């Protein structure tokens, strides 16, 4: 305990390089003349909740891609958050001189434009099921979300802690947040993997492929084979029985590389972080540029796709600076619709089992 307190005092008293802070004002201030009536405009502020492997990776890509000039890293492990903030600050000259702050109690998150929640329990065991950890994670969310909403009442919340779909539903309820400004990156990553694997098999650029994975960001995710196009050509018009059991080209085998991608990576390194961090930064980029790009993200889709209950799952959405402006309703064939309803049932069951 004493060593932790000593470290906190040390970090507060040093400049990050081991030098004692010099508190007296510099004489250089005499040559810097303030301009009358100038009022600084707040920069785009992002808070990343959690400074573990995923949180640190998200923070890194936000800074490297120049998506924010004011980043707050929030973690109850304040020493870890401080260390990460200092590490980034030491390289600030290469990042456009952003402000990177650590926070342990939430106060420095005030007036954030975007809050990205990565904190939560980590999947374990052979299956590394995201649904197995949800009860532990919701306890964490209940302790942090109310204050974040209070301090940043206009913020957009992006949820990437596991299981992302169910935890997004939880944050919407805990924070009383509208579905357009509380969502998960969900199947945006699964969709990227889907397009990559199709492109790889056909030996074309990934940019030539348009395809979506919808539903749960997990084992019941649904590939929408009927809408896959390559260079404007509908793949189902060329490949007979595409993605079905009758498909002689076995295109459905690609799903193993999508659904189990995270498991394979985790077995080797113990966790996944880079791909989900890139996915998150891509969604934030859509918001910063305000282009209205369509991303396969997850929010409450009650009333769409034949779903009568409030359930969070991923479908194509138009993402803007103010969050999700539109939800696109893909034309699905009968098999895809049944699989989506089954995926929704899986998520609905998980949502209903949450312990509030």
């Amino acid at each position: 305990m004493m060593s932790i307190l000593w470290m906190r005092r040390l970090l507060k008293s040093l400049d990050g390089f081991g030098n004692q802070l010099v508190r007296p004002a510099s004489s250089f201030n005499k040559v810097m003349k303030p301009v009358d009536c100038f009022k600084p405009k707040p920069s785009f502020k992002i808070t990343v909740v959690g400074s573990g492997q995923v949180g640190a990776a998200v923070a890194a890509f936000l800074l490297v891609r120049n998506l924010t000039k004011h980043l707050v890293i929030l973690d109850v492990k304040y020493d870890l958050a401080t260390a990460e903030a200092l590490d980034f600050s030491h390289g600030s000259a290469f990042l456009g001189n952003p402000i990177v702050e650590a926070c342990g109690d939430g106060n420095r998150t005030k007036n954030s434009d975007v809050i990205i929640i990565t904190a939560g329990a980590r999947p374990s065991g052979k299956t590394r099921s995201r649904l197995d950890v949800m009860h532990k994670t919701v306890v964490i969310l209940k302790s942090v979300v109310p204050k974040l909403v209070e301090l940043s009442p206009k913020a957009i919340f992006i949820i990437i802690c596991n299981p992302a779909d169910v935890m997004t539903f939880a944050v919407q309820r805990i924070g009383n947040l509208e579905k357009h400004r509380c969502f998960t990156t969900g199947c945006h990553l699964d969709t990227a993997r889907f397009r990559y694997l199709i492109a790889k098999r056909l030996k074309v650029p990934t940019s030539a492929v348009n395809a979506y994975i919808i539903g749960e960001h997990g084992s019941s995710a649904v590939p929408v084979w009927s809408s896959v196009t390559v260079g404007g050509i509908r793949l189902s018009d060329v490949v007979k029985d595409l993605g079905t059991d009758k498909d002689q080209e076995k295109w459905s085998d690609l799903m193993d590389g999508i659904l189990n991608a995270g498991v394979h990576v985790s077995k080797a390194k113990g966790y996944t972080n880079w791909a989900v961090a890139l996915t998150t930064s891509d969604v934030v980029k859509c918001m910063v540029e305000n282009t209205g790009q369509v991303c396969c993200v997850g929010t409450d889709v009650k009333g769409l796709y034949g779903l009568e209950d409030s359930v969070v799952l991923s479908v194509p959405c138009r993402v803007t600076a103010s969050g999700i402006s539109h939800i696109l309703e893909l034309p699905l064939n009968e098999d895809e619709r049944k699989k989506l309803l089954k995926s929704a049932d899986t998520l609905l069951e998980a949502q209903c089992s949450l312990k509030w």
Side-chain angles (χ1 to χ4, degrees):
M1 183 66 181
M2 289 299 293
S3 62
I4 294 176
L5 293 173
W6 174 82
M7 183 179 179
R8 289 182 178 175
R9 286 196 294 267
L10 180 65
L11 289 171
K12 289 180 179 179
S13 64
L14 301 182
D15 63 0
F17 296 92
N19 303 314
Q20 291 290 332
L21 288 169
V22 179
R23 300 195 180 281
S26 171
S27 56
F28 187 78
N29 290 345
K30 295 178 181 179
V31 300
M32 295 180 65
K33 310 298 183 181
V35 177
D36 294 339
C37 301
F38 170 77
K39 293 182 179 180
K41 183 179 180 180
S43 58
F44 192 75
K45 183 177 180 180
I46 298 179
T47 289
V48 175
V49 182
S51 57
Q53 298 290 351
V54 175
V58 169
F61 284 126
L62 292 175
L63 294 170
V64 169
R65 299 183 74 177
N66 198 27
L67 296 175
T68 182
K69 290 299 181 184
H70 191 175
L71 179 69
V72 178
I73 301 174
L74 170 63
D75 201 306
V76 290
K77 297 179 181 177
Y78 179 65
D79 302 323
L80 178 59
T82 301
E84 293 290 7
L86 285 174
D87 214 0
F88 286 125
S89 297
H90 295 167
S92 61
F94 313 121
L95 299 171
N97 301 303
I99 298 172
V100 185
E101 296 182 290
C103 181
D105 59 7
N107 289 332
R108 290 182 179 176
T109 69
K110 187 175 182 179
N111 294 327
S112 292
D113 295 288
V114 177
I115 296 175
I116 302 168
I117 299 182
T118 74
R122 182 182 295 178
S124 59
K126 292 183 179 180
T127 62
R128 300 188 65 82
S129 171
R130 295 177 176 91
L131 296 179
D132 290 343
V133 301
M134 65 181 183
H135 299 300
K136 295 178 181 179
T137 300
V138 78
V139 172
I140 296 173
L141 295 176
K142 287 170 67 176
S143 69
V144 68
V145 169
K147 186 170 185 178
L148 291 173
V149 174
E150 179 184 355
L151 292 174
S152 301
K154 296 181 179 180
I156 295 171
F157 285 71
I158 301 176
I159 317 302
I160 58 175
C161 52
N162 291 317
D165 309 287
V166 183
M167 292 304 99
T168 300
F169 174 82
V171 174
Q172 288 178 352
R173 295 304 184 273
I174 294 170
N176 193 27
L177 298 168
E178 304 94 331
K179 63 183 180 181
H180 76 274
R181 69 183 189 103
C182 179
F183 54 91
T184 175
T185 56
C187 289
H188 192 45
L189 173 55
D190 303 296
T191 292
R193 288 171 175 155
F194 192 35
R195 294 177 181 181
Y196 162 73
L197 291 173
I198 293 172
K200 183 179 180 181
R201 179 166 178 177
L202 296 177
K203 296 182 174 59
V204 299
T206 305
S207 58
V209 178
N210 192 28
Y212 290 102
I213 297 286
I214 61 176
E216 178 198 0
H217 175 50
S219 58
S220 67
V222 182
V224 187
W225 292 107
S226 63
S227 69
V228 175
T229 61
V230 181
I233 300 171
R234 191 180 297 275
L235 192 57
S236 59
D237 289 344
V238 180
V239 180
K240 186 179 179 181
D241 299 317
L242 177 66
T244 68
D245 295 336
K246 298 178 182 179
D247 181 4
Q248 295 183 359
E249 297 184 16
K250 306 292 183 183
W251 278 89
S252 60
D253 289 351
L254 293 186
M255 285 305 292
D256 178 68
I258 297 168
L259 298 180
N260 296 315
V263 175
H264 296 323
V265 173
S266 296
K267 283 182 178 179
K269 58 188 274 190
Y271 55 88
T272 61
N273 60 336
W274 300 119
V276 68
L278 280 166
T279 303
T280 304
S281 67
D282 187 63
V283 173
V284 173
K285 180 174 178 287
C286 295
M287 296 169 60
V288 171
E289 295 180 348
N290 198 25
T291 56
Q293 183 173 327
V294 175
C295 303
C296 200
V297 296
T299 192
D300 189 342
V301 292
K302 180 181 179 180
L304 299 172
Y305 293 93
L307 298 169
E308 299 178 355
D309 298 299
S310 289
V311 59
V312 172
L313 52 76
S314 292
V315 291
C317 297
R318 184 173 182 268
V319 178
T320 72
S322 300
I324 295 174
S325 65
H326 297 76
I327 298 175
L328 281 65
E329 194 162 10
L330 289 172
L332 306 177
N333 62 35
E334 189 60 29
D335 182 59
E336 292 162 349
R337 189 173 298 278
K338 288 179 179 179
K339 289 180 178 179
L340 180 61
L341 293 176
K342 184 177 180 180
S343 183
D345 286 341
T346 299
L347 291 168
L348 189 60
E349 182 180 355
Q351 289 177 183
C352 292
S353 70
L354 289 174
K355 300 174 182 177
W356 301 103

